[in-house]
Amino acid sequence: SRGFSRSQSLSPVYITMEATKVDNSEPAKVVPAAAAVAPAALDPQTQAKYKFWRYRVFIGLLVGYTASYFTRGCFTYVSPLLRRDAGLSLGDIGLINSVFAISQGISKFSSGIIADRVDARYFLAAGLIIASVLDMTLCFSTNVWWMTANIALIGWFSQFVVPACAKIISYWFAQSERGTWWSAWNMGANLGGFLVAIVSGFCAAQFGWRWGMFIPGAIGIACGLFALVMVKADPAMLGFPAPEAFLGEAVVEKPKPAAGKADEPAETKDEIVMKYVLKNPYVWVLGISWALVYFVRQGVSSWSHFYLMDVKGVVSASDAAARVSGRELGGLAGNLFSGYASTKYFDGKRIPVIVLYTVGLIGSLFALWGLPGGNAVLDYITISILGFFIYGPQNLVGLAATEFAHKSAASSAIGLVGLLSYVGATFSGSPITYLVKKFGWNSFFISMIGCCVLIIALVLPLWNKKTYADTLPKPKEGAADKS
């Protein structure tokens, strides 16, 4: 069967919008470019081929994102052995974690800008493969500065993955379904975090810390090549129309496409980024909120196993890794349910779910803090619940930022909020080390809970604000979901 270009008659109406500033509080002024017509149905063969490619691309993105957590998560699970066998201090590990977070944050912003200008498929694969190779080279020495430099480069290249995936998702999946697909893709964070805890923790415990880095690196290389084969950056590359046509929905573009570029708005890339990202106050508020989310998430991820060993009497690093692995399984459920709940119960609004999850996160932090040690099952359940509530905001804040921005600036939006998120993650390294050494583990929990309160205070004013898609005309009722 033959494909179709977006300029052919099956493509729905395109609409131009005039906007001199970002104002998502009211619908944008709509100026029809042509008379409204119902979108033509795709022929069955094209429909089936499009469906196949959507699932194929999604699998490639999921595998790539999952593998990125192997490349940047394995150091967490070898660090207790480096502390014991290689003489690294808690301060050394805190320094490495902080440099890692800084590198990831700067890279996430710069790579977001770049990903909007290049083929995101190659960008994704290159970052994943290079970061995986660097996992292996870290094994060459236990010198703190060598490890710090390697970790900084791993953080830099591993962050190519997320902006690339955000861009590809925005082109393959329509707004009406994107919350579900985004949540399903984002479970790669949980799958990767869970699997790296088992694989890296086991290899390090059984064969030495170097194997805890080397094996995840080898897996990352294989997954990078897999993603390169599976993914195409845009349906138009295969002759398909916009995903709204696949669903039978009206396609609207804001603003009107420029001549010769049916899928790009009339404004330049720089103008779009400036208007819909850098000058968009909602994106900045969400970015600061994500910084606080990442402070909590990275703090729990990097230090919970140390807390179990130092306070709750867990003896071995492998036992602690097994208990905290429940965070990722709980996070998987919380991640998937957050996207479903925002679509099913809140009509696609992400902010209410972020608020409710953050309230639950506060409660679960109090539980981990107050419950007695010595019970492996109780520790596992508590940390699983904690993971459930962490990954709802972790999933939805980034998605909300892309939805308050323009589709063509999705990578830039995720890059900006990602930069801010890793500012928060940076403070979960050396500053947490200082707090714990100076004031004890109680200060750890006080800082985590305080950040959760600030998250709620920041996002509550956005509860009823309109996203970019909310300013567009609604698709006709009764469109079937063929995903």
Side-chain angles (χ1 to χ4, degrees):
S1 63
R2 65 186 183 90
F4 297 87
S5 71
R6 289 178 183 161
S7 61
Q8 287 177 277
S9 60
L10 68 84
S11 300
V13 178
Y14 291 97
I15 296 173
T16 63
M17 293 200 172
E18 297 177 354
T20 58
K21 65 177 182 175
V22 177
D23 184 2
N24 294 343
S25 61
E26 297 294 338
K29 179 181 177 182
V30 180
V31 182
V37 294
L42 303 180
D43 67 77
Q45 283 186 310
T46 302
Q47 187 78 25
K49 185 179 178 183
Y50 203 155
K51 182 175 183 179
F52 165 80
W53 269 99
R54 278 158 55 95
Y55 279 107
R56 172 174 170 159
V57 168
F58 174 76
I59 291 170
L61 296 178
L62 178 61
V63 170
Y65 188 42
T66 300
S68 74
Y69 275 79
F70 271 76
T71 65
R72 54 195 169 110
C74 48
F75 182 79
T76 295
Y77 297 100
V78 304
S79 57
L81 294 178
L82 286 168
R83 183 187 182 191
R84 186 192 70 189
D85 299 337
L88 269 66
S89 68
L90 203 62
D92 293 332
I93 295 169
L95 170 65
I96 292 171
N97 285 335
S98 288
V99 170
F100 188 41
I102 292 169
S103 175
Q104 289 185 90
I106 297 173
S107 175
K108 202 164 191 177
F109 178 61
S110 62
S111 62
I113 301 296
I114 296 168
D116 276 330
R117 291 162 168 77
V118 300
D119 189 321
R121 165 199 177 200
Y122 292 104
F123 197 63
L124 185 165
L128 182 54
I129 291 170
I130 294 170
S132 300
V133 171
L134 288 164
D135 275 340
M136 297 177 173
T137 63
L138 185 140
C139 303
F140 294 164
S141 173
T142 58
N143 178 274
V144 171
W145 298 111
W146 170 265
M147 289 191 163
T148 302
N150 267 266
I151 284 291
L153 291 172
I154 290 167
W156 183 271
F157 287 104
S158 67
Q159 285 305 316
F160 287 14
V161 174
V162 173
C165 289
K167 178 181 179 181
I168 294 167
I169 289 171
S170 71
Y171 277 91
W172 276 96
F173 303 101
Q175 168 69 24
S176 62
E177 59 178 351
R178 198 173 298 143
T180 300
W181 286 99
W182 183 282
S183 294
W185 163 75
N186 199 57
M187 73 181 183
N190 311 109
L191 290 172
F194 173 74
L195 292 173
V196 73
I198 302 302
V199 174
S200 182
F202 174 81
C203 291
Q206 295 298 316
F207 311 113
W209 70 267
R210 287 180 172 83
W211 287 100
M213 297 293 299
F214 190 89
I215 296 299
I219 292 172
I221 292 171
C223 291
L225 295 172
F226 178 82
L228 185 63
V229 171
M230 294 289 286
V231 172
K232 292 290 184 183
D234 188 338
M237 292 179 173
L238 298 168
F240 295 130
E244 289 81 1
F246 173 79
L247 299 174
E249 298 176 352
V251 176
V252 289
E253 294 289 340
K254 175 186 174 182
K256 184 179 179 180
K261 286 194 174 183
D263 191 43
E264 297 297 332
E267 296 157 302
T268 67
K269 285 286 188 184
D270 290 341
E271 290 171 339
I272 292 169
V273 171
M274 183 62 67
K275 179 188 292 186
Y276 296 103
V277 179
L278 297 180
K279 290 186 176 181
N280 189 334
Y282 304 146
V283 171
W284 282 97
V285 168
L286 289 165
I288 295 169
S289 302
W290 224 20
L292 298 170
V293 170
Y294 264 68
F295 176 81
V296 177
R297 174 194 161 185
Q298 196 65 30
V300 171
S301 175
S302 296
W303 301 108
S304 57
H305 52 299
F306 285 104
Y307 172 70
L308 293 178
M309 296 174 72
D310 290 353
V311 176
K312 294 209 169 185
V314 178
V315 176
S316 70
S318 59
D319 187 12
R323 296 189 194 199
V324 301
S325 67
R327 180 190 69 246
E328 301 300 338
L329 289 182
L332 175 61
N335 174 29
L336 291 174
F337 184 72
S338 67
Y340 172 80
S342 66
T343 300
K344 177 72 173 178
Y345 302 115
F346 294 97
D347 194 27
K349 293 183 181 295
R350 318 302 176 191
I351 303 302
V353 180
I354 292 169
V355 171
L356 294 174
Y357 264 70
T358 307
V359 172
L361 179 55
I362 292 171
S364 57
L365 283 166
F366 272 114
L368 181 62
W369 187 9
L371 290 174
N375 189 318
V377 174
L378 184 61
D379 287 340
Y380 189 88
I381 292 172
T382 304
I383 294 174
S384 296
I385 295 171
L386 183 61
F388 180 94
F389 287 114
I390 285 176
Y391 278 93
Q394 190 273 337
N395 172 34
L396 292 182
V397 173
L399 174 58
T402 66
E403 291 179 340
F404 275 106
H406 191 286
K407 181 180 80 171
S408 293
S411 291
S412 298
I414 204 74
L416 175 60
V417 299
L419 169 63
L420 296 173
S421 75
Y422 279 99
V423 172
T426 300
F427 282 93
S428 70
S430 292
I432 287 293
T433 305
Y434 173 80
L435 285 176
V436 171
K437 290 170 70 174
K438 182 77 173 179
F439 304 106
W441 283 101
N442 286 346
S443 63
F444 171 84
F445 286 97
I446 292 170
S447 64
M448 298 288 130
I449 292 167
C451 283
C452 291
V453 173
L454 288 175
I455 292 166
I456 294 172
L458 282 167
V459 301
L460 266 177
L462 304 184
W463 189 292
N464 290 316
K465 298 297 182 182
K466 294 182 182 296
T467 65
Y468 167 81
D470 290 332
T471 67
L472 300 177
K474 299 297 181 185
K476 292 186 176 182
E477 296 293 331
D481 185 349
K482 301 178 180 66
S483 63

